[in-house]
Amino acid sequence: MGITKLSNEEIERELSNLSGWSVVNGKLHKEFIFKNFIEAFAFMTTAALNIEKMNHHPEWFNVYNKLIVDLTTHDAGGITKNDIDLAKILNSIA
């Protein structure tokens, strides 16, 4: 079973239902801002439990209350349904 990269049209359609997400450098991208570091870390901890279940790990970078997330599927060479699904989960946790 191969993982299929989404077309630009499919990505644009999905983005219309993903609040705050865009495509930057070929990856789904979002910056989450929290009240403080504790809230950002709590989000990352909760997200990590869901991420591990999916076995689909994001690129993310945290400084204090800001978390930058980039999603792509390296095996497919771009954005896939897995990335969209993870973006939806992250939005629901935030």
Side-chain angles (χ1 to χ4, degrees), residues 14-15 17-22 27-30 32 43 47 51 54 56 58 69-72 79-94:
E14 293 287 354
L15 280 175
N17 298 315
L18 282 175
S19 177
W21 291 87
S22 61
K27 300 173 184 179
L28 283 182
H29 176 86
K30 183 170 181 176
F32 292 90
F43 171 84
I51 289 164
M54 290 181 74
H56 188 59
V69 180
D70 289 304
L71 304 175
T72 188
I79 298 168
T80 67
K81 184 75 167 86
N82 284 347
D83 301 304
I84 299 296
D85 291 345
L86 182 50
K88 289 177 182 177
I89 288 168
L90 295 177
N91 274 3
S92 74
I93 294 169

Side-chain angles (χ1 to χ4, degrees), residues 4-90:
T4 306
K5 179 179 167 181
L6 297 176
S7 70
N8 289 337
E9 294 78 20
E10 290 169 318
I11 294 167
E12 288 301 318
R13 194 173 325 115
E14 293 287 354
L15 280 175
S16 67
N17 298 315
L18 282 175
S19 177
W21 291 87
S22 61
V23 175
V24 175
N25 297 324
K27 300 173 184 179
L28 283 182
H29 176 86
K30 183 170 181 176
E31 295 184 11
F32 292 90
I33 304 293
F34 301 93
K35 285 185 187 174
N36 52 45
F37 177 72
I38 294 297
E39 284 193 10
F41 197 86
F43 171 84
M44 290 185 290
T45 302
T46 302
L49 299 172
N50 289 280
I51 289 164
E52 192 61 25
K53 288 178 193 171
M54 290 181 74
N55 193 31
H56 188 59
H57 303 91
E59 298 172 13
W60 66 13
F61 178 76
N62 165 250
V63 174
Y64 184 58
N65 69 329
K66 183 176 181 179
L67 176 66
I68 300 169
V69 180
D70 289 304
L71 304 175
T72 188
T73 302
H74 298 284
D75 292 345
I79 298 168
T80 67
K81 184 75 167 86
N82 284 347
D83 301 304
I84 299 296
D85 291 345
L86 182 50
K88 289 177 182 177
I89 288 168
L90 295 177

